[in-house]
Structure formats: structure tokens, C-alpha cells
Amino acid sequence: MGAKVPPDKQRRSGNRSFRAKSGAVGSCSMDGSNAPKDDLELRSNREWRCHPGTAGNRPSCSLSVSRVSYSVSDRVGPWWDLPSYRKKWTRQILKEVSFYVESGQIMGILGNSGSGKTTLLDAISGRIGNAGNLLGDVYVNGHKLKREHFQDCFSYVLQSDNLLCYLTVQETLTYTARLALQKHSVESIRKKVDSVMAELSLSHVAGTVIGGRSFSGISGGERRRVSIAAQLLQDPKLILLDEPTTGLDSMTANQIVVLLSELAQKDRIVIVSIHQPRSELFRVFNQIAIMSCGELVFCGQPEEMVNFFSSCGYECPEYCNPFDLYVDLTSVDTRSTEREVETFDRVKAIRCAYEESDIYQRMLDNIEGARQQRERHPVPFKSKESPSDLCKLLVLLRRNTKNLLRNRIGILMRLFQNLIFGLFIAFFLMKLHEDVLKGAIQDRIGVIYQTMGGTPYTGMLNAVALFPALRAISDQESADGLYEKWHMLVAYIIHILPLSVISVVFFTTFLYWTVGMFPDLIRFICYTAVVLVPHVVGELLALVLLGIIQNPNIVNSAVALFNIAGILVGSGFLRSSQEMPELLQWLSYLTFQKYGCELLVVTEFYGLNFTCGEKPSNPGTGVHPCIFSNGIQFIEDGYPGAVSRYTLDFLMLYAFLPALVILGIISFNIRDYIAHR
Amino acid sequence: MEPPAWRYRDGLFAGPDEDSSLYFTYSGAPNVLEVKQLHYQVNMAAQVPWHEKLAEFRMPWEIGRDDVSVIGNLNLKVQSGQMLAVIGSSGCGKTSLLDIITCRDEGGKIASGELLINGKPSSPQLVRKSIAHVRQSDRLLPHLTVRETLTFVARLRLPVHFTDKQREQRVEDVIAELRLRQCANTRVGNEYIRGVSGGERRRVSIAVQLLWNPGILILDEPTSGLDSFTAHNLVITLSRLARGNRLVLLSVHQPRSDIFQLFDLVVLLSTGSVAYCGAAKDMVPYFTTLGYPCPQYCNPSDFYVDLISIDRRSREQEAQCEQRVRELTVQFWDKVKDTDDFIWRPTEINGEDSASTSDTSSTSKAPEEVINVPAKSKDQLPGSLQQFSILLRRQVSNDFRDLPTLLIHGCEALLMSLLIGFLYFGAGDTKLSIQDTIVLMYMMTTLTPFAVVLDVIAKCHSERAMIFHELEDGMYSVTAYFFAKVIGELPEHCAFTLVYAVPIYWLAGLNAETGPFLLNFLIVWLVVYCSRAMALWSASLLPTLQLSSFMGNALFTTFYLTGGFVISLENMWLVAAWFSKISFLRWGFEGLMQVQFIGLKYKMTLGNFTFHIDGSQVVEAMDLNSDPLYACYLILLAVCVVFMFFYYLCLKFIRQKSSQDW
């Protein structure tokens, strides 16, 4: 530590010198002579921060977590081992965790995997659900928080970045801002987004798309910063981050943590769970908590940590990363029973020492003190103006549309999948005949059957390919309280409708005129109008199931199954409805295929005349293919009264769309309920 | 040289009682791995697989050939007994280097230079025999427990002379070494199925490779995703393995200070060139002589990785960094170009140091030997038949554990069969009419195969990645896997067909005699099996789930339309008629029709007339009597065999690389 900079100069430069440091960490400008100075600057900086006395009064915000415990009950064995499967055991994931943080501080939670870091953050942020048993209290500014308020108070940045990959950084943030801050003017939202981008140094990539698997966009560190920026839009005073550095290279990881500490300095509380922090970060954190087996083994300032462990008899050697050493000291080694007992005892001893230390006592005093002072500061909720459902829908709709329009593959798939399917039919069928002996009826039924059976399937494929990504985003953003899950569903449905219509029109235009169905424009329009419904219903059905089933593959098979079952029962081609058992007859009224097929049969067969062989057919002479000489006979035989039901059938068919949308909303509400359980 | 701190830490991690190695030493001939003057170029465009290019609508002629040099003038020499760590920031060419060594590089070419393993140029066969490669991603069967996973690998990968007890012991040792005891009986899981944690899954992947005790061990980022404690232990294990006369090569991107101290040799890579190669403890002195001392309280590896990585945040910084890196690599090359193994040694203790290295690598591990294996029998791995039986057992246990999938498939079949059955139920006294029977026959042939196609393709794609890696590792032969897969799925297939075909037959009140029933069942069995074989083929032929399901569906629709029901056989135009010749649905339909109709008399009423129609007339009217019944069976069988053969060919010749994006 060779640098001799006058302390007053440092204090004056305050924030600026810190910024300089953040640029230097991990950057190329670092060299031997420079680094120690940085180190010192940082330390002085921290001191400056640690004495709020210079600023005059108490911090504007404090968070106390008091004796939080969490346990779940689990089955002992797997299902094929019944005796142990029946038994349940209670697993304690968090044990009486207490800590206290104030504004301007960044706290790092360390611990090995499985030590309960993520669970702790989940518990504080109110995302833990009701499956387990959560005890203990969380106080913000001394006010005890109710469970339902957790989400409104904390911003939570998850480990994975769920972002729409075809939007630019600026667009991503602007749409999030519009969802969160509805009442702001366009101008103020723009300013807000710009300032957040500047704060997270994202301005240089504002116009770059996020990028996905097959095309490149911004880098991993930038993506992570976009996730953080999206949370900052709501001006949270308390930010929680779950492993923000995982998956990033060390240089980027350091930049992120330093950035977070800058955020904390601007009067926020930042809590970070972190895995393998580098030694340079030692002085960046104001508070360090170490977790092991669900317990908080230590929580205090970095210097206190070194002193504390030294007093326990674990001296930190000079060339060693204290983070690593202390985490190792407090983890339980399960390689052998003796090691386990030995390490467990060590952890227990450290924990006892901590609970007897001044640090622990001071923490308890702080919690108590904050509770006494609660009148002075209200609970700092995130700025959230809950806009009307309609506004949220509109914003989501615009966002989804913009994302989809840039997705070339997605659009082409949507537009031409049906057409390819139509090509198939036309290729094998070639041309419809008038002659019953040449399959006039059989072929027409074939076409109708295929259009009713195939179009739902293509609709389902679209939903299964494109919706899961949006579903992941809606899961996250609805947990942030931006909107409900079903908003996303409805916005999705609306934004795909025009494309579905165009796709179906392509398909019908091609098929109808190529194979030579009834040459009448009105009938063609009716045909198109009917075919639209199964295509959309297929997609809607997949969406309904995607709400409650996580795995898209299962949804895929389930929709295919529904589709087949529906056409079996409903179409009437495979078994005329009068001959079916009564139960199935009733069931057939629930299938959209019943109405669709009836409509298509009438549209195609009404007014059609058949020939039988060379001469016009004569039903007396015996061979059974020529039972029908015109289409009306066929209709009356298979679908008695279908002609008179034409309008009713149309209404029934179209009634399926709103019904499925409502089902979808219900299913996504169930999803929401499950997520909170 | 060793600061007291490290001695203290050693005590923290492992007591002296644990210091003895769990593994027998590698007793084959010592291995040498050499990289000479390697220049390696990657065509960035070729990195994108063809189907993704197609999806982006980039035509082959639009793709420029922009060769980017990834590795330039790389020289290394590693011997048994040494552990070499390749350190560098992401994008410096670490993974490329390991891929080149193991002959798994893609889309790049070696511009100049050579790679030698024991003096022979590296080839996939040589690599498979002597190198174990632990990859960054975990590919494991999700429904097996950790112990089962390892046991199956132990059976496959350990030489035949091992007794079952020894294998068990080895599995237990590896489990203990990698601290997997607490989750040994938990299933492995994947992103959809809850199982062991991510770090634990990582360790299982490493355990799989450690099991067979190879002479050269290559690990790509083994410590990423592990917590510090486990990472430290893992590296201790690795260095112990190296002391046991093995060559260990690993890449690490951010080694912790304590882990860094455990490495004996270190290569610092920056943009494909070596900035330093030598003993870990000499790295700080080396850079100090160049004017870059490591500050106190700083992890040297972090500091120097930062020093040589390129900061791309601004143009001038980038140029500055590149300049410095170029200087450093040139300086290093100047210093080592005359040495034999391209390792930098501090000049004053040069001789003494190398003597001590050779000393440790040759003599010190004799007492650690637990089992001494005769070198000759080392290569004798289980034969194909044994591989087959082990794979079969693995396949069956994994599938059987997958309760949700079993239930879903079972319910699917049952629902479908009950639905069709009840649809044609109520025939009771009055038999089904001719028209209804025909439709029923067609439904029986077509409906379930359709569901099967989707399920099989989805399942195959989820297993694809694992097969790919295991085949590349040479853990078993394609033939063994093929037969294990095909036969392992037979019981499931039979149960499925039973659930599907029997209720329909019974509910619809078809011909109740035993003969026709069995014939009928056999046809359904064959048709479903044909579709399964077709699905297996299309899943192995195309690289993504979407493409495979598209092809499966397209084929199925083709066969469906040409099956003789939707379009009558006589009205089909030429090409469609060709397709109908190979449509297994058509032959199934034809067979079912013949079984059902021939020899039965039907009464038919039309207006006032009543006809007696012989069943064979119905068959004739539909043109389904072109071939005798036995021919239908033979053709169906032939279709199955041909599809299966295609599947085998695809497994053999098409790389089963996975690119599932869900």
C-alpha cells in the first residue's frame, strides 16, 4: 500500500474517485503501480460511506430481518420405493436468520451451494410460496411488513435474464417503464429510461437488439445490466439480486458488483447473493453475511469479519482471499462421517461465537432501534401506478408485436405452415371429380377431414414454439407485480390473430381453387371463415394447456390427442352421429369439429350433382357406391337438418374462440395460484 | 517457497489421513502430449449449423469465408505426472485448444503445426483410447440415481477383469471423493425434472470420467458452477491423479487463489497465444521481471488474466490492450523458443528445478498404489454383448422410473382406445355396418401410430446429447446401443399396443374368434411398430426436434393420405400410387380389412331391397385385395426392418449432436 494521498483530497473526490476505481477493476489499465492506490482509495471511500454522521442524520431507510425460518416437508424416497415414499420429513432450509441493513449499504451473502442463500432472498422478497412454513418477521423502517406487501417493497433480480430477444435495450426498458409507470408522460418515461441507462452505462448499446441463441446481440454482462435496469425503473429502495455474477467472466462480474455498490451509495439497500467473489470485492461490500446449512454464521462489516475469525482462532493469511477461506471454514464436509462431525462442530462453534459477539448484539440493538423509530419514515414502496388492464394490454400488445415482427423465422413459419400442409393435400389429391365411382364423395370428405384435422395442429405448433419464451417473461414480470399472467396471454392472442387470418387465407385460396371445390366466391369465403376457427382453436388450446403444464412436449401430444378425439367424435365422417352411444352424442356437442364439419359439408355439397360412371346415376341398379346422386342427399343422410342449421352452426363455431380465451385466462390464473402456493 | 498459509489451508481441506490416493496409479506407459507451432483458424460462418442458417434464410452462397485465427503459434509439451492448467478469460481459445487436442473441433482447420500424443499425431481412435474428456455441459439420464448412473458406467467402462465387488468399490470411492454421498440415491434430474443440484450434477459428470481411470484426463472448466469447497477438493483430486502418473490438462477461467496454488504448470492464454507457460509459483517472478508485479492481497491469476485480456469497452483501450498482449507473447516466445518443452524456468535454479519435477513424477507415488493392474489386460473392455445387456438394463430402469411419461403414454393409449371402442359400441346384436367397419379398420391403423410418432421423436431428442457424447467417448458401440434401444423399448411397445388394440376390438364387437383376433392384433402391433421405427429414423436423421417432428408428420401424412381410405386406391395418380406401395398404413389397412371381411356375409338394406354381400366383395370394391394376407404381414415387417436399418445407419453415420432449445 504505497500511495500517499492526503485523506481530505480523497474525501473531496468522493464519488468520482470511486467511479475511477470501478473503471479500473479488471480493466487493462490496471498495472502494478496503479492497483494498490485503487485499493486505498476504495478503503477510504468505504470509511466515508460508513459514517453517515458526516451527512448529518440517520439513513433514510433500513431493513431488518428478524428470526426468519423456513421449512418444507418432503417425501423420503422416490415413488417406486413405496414404504419410504409414504414417509415425510421436515427439512429446515432457513434457521432463525436475522440481520440489519441500512440505506447506502451493499450486503453480500456468501455460502456454498445448498446453504440457503437463494431461499433467503426468496423469503425476503415474498416469492417463496406457501408450500413451506415461513416464520419470522421482516421490518422496513421499523414497520413490520405484511406478506402481501413484500413484493411491492423489494425489487428482485433473478439469476436468469428473461428478455425478448428481438427488442433493443432502449425498447425493452421503455416498455417495462410503461408497464410500471403508466401515468407518466411519454417524455418523462423517456427521461427515466435514459437516466437508468446512463446509470448502468448501457447508453452505448441503447439501439442494439438483445439477441438470442442463433443471432448475436449484446454481451452477457450487458444483458445482466438490462435486467437490473428494468428493476431500477421503479425506483426501488431495496434491491435483491440472486447470484448476479454467475455465468459471467470475472472481469464483467467485478464490474457488475462495483456497479451495484454504486447503486447502493445512492441511498439504496442492495443485497446480493454471490458465489466465488474475488478478493478485490472484499472492500466493496459494506456488510458480509455467511450462510451455512440455512444458518447465518456471521454477518458484519468486512473488517469485523477478519477480526472475528481471527478471534475464533482462524487467522486469515496475507495472500489469501478471505471470502474463500471463511466460506470454506463454515461449510460442512460430507465426504466422510468423521469429517462431517468435525466440520459441523467447527461451524457450530463459530456460530456460537458470533452470537456471543458484540457484532451480533449491535445488530439486535439496531433492529430494536429501528423498530422504535418507525414513526419517522414510512415504508418505501416501489413507485407503481397500477394502470387499467386495458393500458397494460396495449403496452404488452405493442411489445409482443414489435418483437414478433423482427422475428423472420417466426413470421414465415406462421404464414406458410398451413400452406405447406395444403400443398400436401393438393399433391396427393390433384383434382376433385364429379363421378362418384372416381371418388367424388370420398375425396371431398377427405379434403374436409384433412382441413379440420390439420389446421389445429399447425396452430398448436406455433404456440408451442413461440409462447414458452413469453411465458417465462410473464412469470417473472407478474412476480414483479407489473401485470397479471393472463394479460400476457390475451396480448399474445390478439397479436397473433391477424397473422392467423392471413395464413388461413393463403391456405384456403390455394387449396380451394387448386383441387376444384365448389366454384363460388361466397362459398369460398364461408370455407375460409370456417377453417380459420380450427386453426385458432388449436393455438388457443395449446395456450390453455401451456398455462398449467410446464413441458411443451407434453402439451404437444395432449393437443394432438384432443384434436384426434374431437374429430373422431365430432366430425360424423367416421361414425354417423345417430349411431353413436348417447354419451358420445352429447359429448360431440362440445367439439368444435362437429360444427365445423357440418358447415364444411353443407358449403361443399349443397347443390352439387354427381355422376355415376358414364351415365347419370340410377339408384335402382345395385352397386353401393352410387347411393347418392346429388349433394343434398348426402347431407340429409349424414347430417339431417344441417342446411337449416347453417347460421346456428356458425355462431356455435365462433363461440369456441371466446370460450377458450376465458379458459385460458382461468388456466393462467391457476398458474398464478400454483406459483404462490 | 510455499507460504505457511497454504500449509494451513491444506489442513483445512484434508487431513493427513486422507492424503492417500483413492485411485490406483496409471500403470500404462507414460504419456506425452505435444503441441507444436499450432496455428488454428476458425471459419465463423461454419460455426453456425446448417439448419440454423436455413432458418435464418441465409443461402450457402451468401456466407462469406471469414477465417479468424483463434490460436497462433502455440507450443506445449506435457508429460505424465504433470497437471497443466490453461488459464485465460473467456474467448481466449481455451475450449478450442482442448477441442483440437481431443479431435472434437468443428468448423475450424489447423493452418500449420501438429499435435502429438506419445509422438503419434492425434486421431479420434487414439483420443478415444487414451483420453477422458469432461465437457462443460452435463449430459446424463435424468431418471437414474447418482449411484446407478455411475454403476452403469463402471460396468461399461471398466476392464473385464474387474469383479463386481471391485466395481462397486470404485463407484463408492468416486462418490466419496466427489462428495456425492448425500445425494447418491437421489435421481439426477434435468431442467424439467427435479433432481440433484446443478453443482452436484456437474460432479456426477466428472465422476463418470474419473471412473475409468484414464491415462490422460482433459477437463473443460471443471470448477465452474462448483462451490469453492468442492472446487478445491476437485483440484486436489486432480493433482493427486496427476501424481499417479497421469497427465491432467484442464481449462479454468477464474481460478481462486488457493486453487491456483495447487496447479503445478500453468499456461496463460490470451487471444490464442501463450503469455506465460511454466510453474505456477514462477509466474509472479516472471511477470515481475517484465515490469508487472502482482500487488499484495491480490490473487495472481486474477491479476494476470486481467492484464492479458482485451477490454472491448472502448476502441482505444482495445488497441492498447492488444498492443500489450502482443508484446507479452513475443517476449515470452523469445525466452522459451530454445527450450525443449517451452516452459519458462527462472534461470538461476533451472537445473535443480527440473530435476525435482522429474523426481516427483517418477518415484513419489509408488506407496499410493492400491491396486496394481497389469498393463496388458487394461484395454479389455466389455464386449458388444455385455455392453448391450448393460445398456438394456440402463434403458429399462430409466424409462421405468419416468412415471409421468409412462402414465401419459398409457392414458393416451387407453383414452384413444376407449374412445374409438365406445364410438363403435352398441353394435351388440346388430353387427356394425360395412361402412362403419371400414372406417373402424382405418382408424385402428392410423390413430395410435400418430401419437406414437410424436412421443418417440420427443424422447429421442431428449436422449440425443447423451448418446452423442458417450459414443464419441467410445463408451459403447453403435450396434450395442441400437439393439439395447430397440429391444429395451419393446416391452413398452407391447404394453402400449395391448392397451390400445384389445379394448377397441372387444368394445366394437368384432369377429370374436381367436384366430382373427390374433391376426388383427399382430397387424396393429406391426403398424404401430413401423411408425415407431419411422419416428426413430427421422429423430436421428435431423438435428432439431422441430425439423424431426416436421419430417415425421410429413411422412405420416403422406402415408395417411395414400393409405387407400382418404383417397381411393384406384383414383390415385401415379406418384401417389407409388407412395401407397410403401405406405405401412395402407398395408395395415389392407390386412385388417382382409382379416375382418373375407369369409363373412353382410346384409345390406337399401330402400326396399335387401342384398347379401360377401365380405370379399367389399374388399374387392376398395381394391384392397391386390395381395394375399400373408404378403401384408411380410411387407409390414419389411417396412419395419428398412426403417430400423435407416435408423441404424443414421446413428452410425450422422453425428447425434443435440440442439434442442426448449
Side-chain angles (χ1 to χ4, degrees), chain B residues 242-500:
Chain B
R243 271 184 282 138
N245 199 23
R246 263 180 219 90
L247 194 163
V248 179
L249 183 60
L250 69 160
S251 72
V252 199
H253 99 177
Q254 190 194 354
R256 300 175 358 144
S257 44
D258 56 321
I259 287 178
F260 181 74
Q261 284 291 328
L262 295 170
F263 298 146
D264 22 280
L265 288 176
V266 168
V267 170
L268 211 53
L269 265 191
S270 172
T271 57
S273 347
V274 180
Y276 173 78
C277 174
K281 58 182 193 302
D282 294 335
M283 190 166 91
V284 179
Y286 170 77
F287 279 104
T288 310
T289 58
L290 293 184
Y292 298 102
C294 178
Q296 274 181 315
Y297 305 111
C298 195
N299 177 353
S301 66
D302 284 348
F303 182 76
Y304 291 117
V305 166
D306 287 347
L307 183 72
I308 59 161
S309 58
I310 312 280
D311 187 343
R312 298 193 191 279
R313 278 180 303 177
S314 75
R315 191 60 51 87
E316 56 267 33
Q317 263 180 324
E318 195 175 323
Q320 197 188 339
C321 293
E322 274 168 359
Q323 174 63 27
R324 184 172 55 220
V325 168
R326 214 170 308 129
E327 279 168 19
L328 282 172
T329 51
V330 167
Q331 276 171 328
F332 183 75
W333 177 237
D334 283 340
K335 287 203 167 67
V336 299
K337 64 182 167 195
D338 300 325
T339 57
D340 168 46
D341 50 2
F342 312 105
I343 286 174
W344 187 81
R345 294 185 184 82
T347 38
E348 63 273 29
I349 50 164
N350 203 342
E352 175 204 344
D353 191 61
S354 63
S356 70
T357 330
S358 63
D359 182 48
T360 45
S361 63
S362 60
T363 55
S364 67
K365 67 272 139 197
E368 285 177 8
E369 275 180 46
V370 179
I371 315 161
N372 212 341
V373 188
K376 258 188 290 175
S377 61
K378 180 89 180 80
D379 289 352
Q380 281 180 0
L381 290 175
S384 283
L385 204 63
Q386 237 172 323
Q387 285 178 1
F388 160 74
S389 75
I390 296 161
L391 282 174
L392 185 62
R393 253 184 294 170
R394 185 171 82 164
Q395 178 90 28
V396 170
S397 10
N398 184 50
D399 291 351
F400 170 67
R401 303 284 169 72
D402 191 359
L403 183 65
T405 312
L406 281 184
L407 278 181
I408 288 169
H409 287 184
C411 287
E412 215 171 45
L414 191 67
L415 262 175
M416 202 50 99
S417 88
L418 289 182
L419 190 72
I420 302 177
F422 278 110
L423 202 60
Y424 295 94
F425 185 67
D429 337 314
T430 56
K431 269 198 290 186
L432 279 176
S433 70
I434 296 178
Q435 194 58 38
D436 281 342
T437 316
I438 295 173
V439 177
L440 175 61
M441 291 300 118
Y442 197 62
M443 289 300 111
M444 277 184 95
T445 26
T446 54
L447 281 190
T448 301
F450 180 68
V452 167
V453 169
L454 292 182
D455 294 339
V456 169
I457 290 179
K459 184 164 174 241
C460 257
H461 269 278
S462 65
E463 291 171 353
R464 224 179 134 124
M466 198 199 61
I467 308 166
F468 172 67
H469 288 316
E470 291 184 345
L471 284 177
E472 279 224 319
D473 288 347
M475 198 187 276
Y476 42 77
S477 67
V478 173
T479 320
Y481 175 78
F482 170 76
F483 282 108
K485 168 96 181 157
V486 169
I487 293 173
E489 284 183 347
L490 271 182
E492 191 192 325
H493 172 72
C494 291
F496 189 77
T497 326
L498 265 178
V499 170
Y500 172 67

Side-chain angles (χ1 to χ4, degrees), chain A residues 74-106:
Chain A
D74 231 347
R75 301 209 181 269
V76 175
W79 70 269
W80 60 86
D81 187 8
L82 266 184
S84 69
Y85 182 68
R86 286 213 196 89
K87 272 180 247 153
K88 284 190 165 190
W89 63 297
T90 310
R91 199 149 57 105
Q92 188 88 17
I93 299 178
L94 293 176
K95 273 181 229 155
E96 306 224 326
V97 174
S98 308
F99 61 83
Y100 173 83
V101 209
E102 319 185 316
S103 288
Q105 293 191 331
I106 175 169

Side-chain angles (χ1 to χ4, degrees), chain A residues 57 69 188 202 221 223 302 346 358 398 402 529 534 539 639 648:
Chain A
N57 48 9
S69 302
S188 68
L202 283 168
R223 208 175 286 200
R346 184 169 68 205
D358 297 343
R398 287 174 61 183
K402 197 165 237 170
E539 183 143 12
Y639 306 88
L648 181 69

Side-chain angles (χ1 to χ4, degrees), chain B residues 121-153:
Chain B
S122 99
S123 68
Q125 288 77 26
L126 192 61
V127 165
R128 201 170 290 171
K129 225 171 64 185
S130 50
I131 297 184
H133 188 188
V134 181
R135 288 171 192 77
Q136 261 186 52
S137 53
D138 305 312
R139 304 295 187 189
L140 301 158
L141 281 177
H143 296 286
L144 297 180
T145 67
V146 171
R147 182 174 277 117
E148 283 167 337
T149 306
L150 294 176
T151 310
F152 280 121
V153 176

Side-chain angles (χ1 to χ4, degrees), chain A residues 1 22-23 26-32 35-36 39 74 79-80 91 112-113 166 213-215 248-251 255 275-276 278-280 283 313-315 317-321 324-325 327-329 331-337 339-340 346 408-409 412 420-421 424-425 427-430 437-439 442-443 446 449-450 457 461 464-465 550-554 556-558 560-561 564-565 568-569 573-576 579-581 584 619-620 622 624 627, chain B residues 5-6 8-9 11-15 18 52 55-57 90 143 145 176-177 179 181-182 192 194 223 225-229 231 233 253-254 256-258 292-293 295-299 302-303 306-307 309-311 313 317 321 324 400-401 403 408 412 415-416 419-420 422-425 432 436 439 443 447 450 454-455 458 545 550 553-554 557-558 560-562 564-568 570-571 573 575-576 579 604 606 611 621-622 659-662:
Chain A
M1 308 283 278
S22 79
S27 82
C28 275
S29 65
M30 193 201 301
D31 60 33
D39 208 45
D74 231 347
W79 70 269
W80 60 86
R91 199 149 57 105
N112 273 325
S113 58
Y166 291 94
R213 237 172 45 87
S214 55
F215 64 104
L248 303 177
D249 63 65
S250 60
M251 197 196 272
Q255 286 164 4
H275 176 85
Q276 288 206 5
R278 282 170 55 160
S279 47
E280 287 104 312
R283 290 160 222 285
Y314 302 105
E315 202 75 52
E318 260 192 327
Y319 292 98
C320 179
N321 182 350
D324 292 345
L325 177 72
V327 168
D328 294 342
L329 272 173
S331 54
V332 176
D333 180 357
T334 53
R335 273 185 305 177
S336 67
T337 327
R339 289 288 295 166
E340 198 171 329
R346 184 169 68 205
R408 264 201 297 182
I409 318 158
L412 287 168
I420 294 173
F421 180 63
F424 255 98
I425 304 177
F427 178 77
F428 288 107
L429 204 62
M430 297 309 274
L437 288 184
K438 285 189 174 165
Q442 197 181 7
D443 290 355
Y449 180 82
Q450 288 296 319
Y457 191 74
L461 285 183
V464 165
Q550 192 62 25
N551 186 342
N553 282 341
I554 296 176
N556 195 332
S557 343
L561 191 75
I564 292 172
L568 270 178
V569 177
F573 299 141
L574 307 170
R575 174 95 167 151
S576 60
E579 293 168 35
M580 277 191 287
L584 289 180
H624 82 280
I627 311 166
Chain B
W6 302 114
Y8 163 68
R9 287 190 64 101
L12 173 67
F13 284 107
E18 285 179 295
E52 279 179 17
E56 288 279 302
F57 294 98
S90 51
H143 296 286
T145 67
E177 184 63 35
R179 303 205 305 144
R181 269 190 335 142
Q182 74 283 6
Y192 292 120
R194 245 183 62 184
T223 56
L226 294 188
D227 56 59
S228 55
F229 203 60
N233 280 315
H253 99 177
Q254 190 194 354
R256 300 175 358 144
S257 44
D258 56 321
Y292 298 102
Q296 274 181 315
Y297 305 111
C298 195
N299 177 353
D302 284 348
F303 182 76
D306 287 347
L307 183 72
S309 58
I310 312 280
D311 187 343
R313 278 180 303 177
Q317 263 180 324
C321 293
R324 184 172 55 220
F400 170 67
R401 303 284 169 72
L403 183 65
I408 288 169
E412 215 171 45
L415 262 175
M416 202 50 99
L419 190 72
I420 302 177
F422 278 110
L423 202 60
Y424 295 94
F425 185 67
L432 279 176
D436 281 342
V439 177
M443 289 300 111
L447 281 190
F450 180 68
L454 292 182
D455 294 339
L545 181 66
F550 180 76
N553 276 323
T557 314
T558 307
Y560 182 85
L561 288 171
T562 55
F565 177 75
V566 181
I567 308 166
S568 59
E570 60 176 323
N571 290 335
W573 68 293
V575 178
F579 274 109
M604 192 173 172
L606 190 73
F611 309 97
M622 301 213 43
S659 49
Q660 196 171 5
D661 32 4
W662 286 340

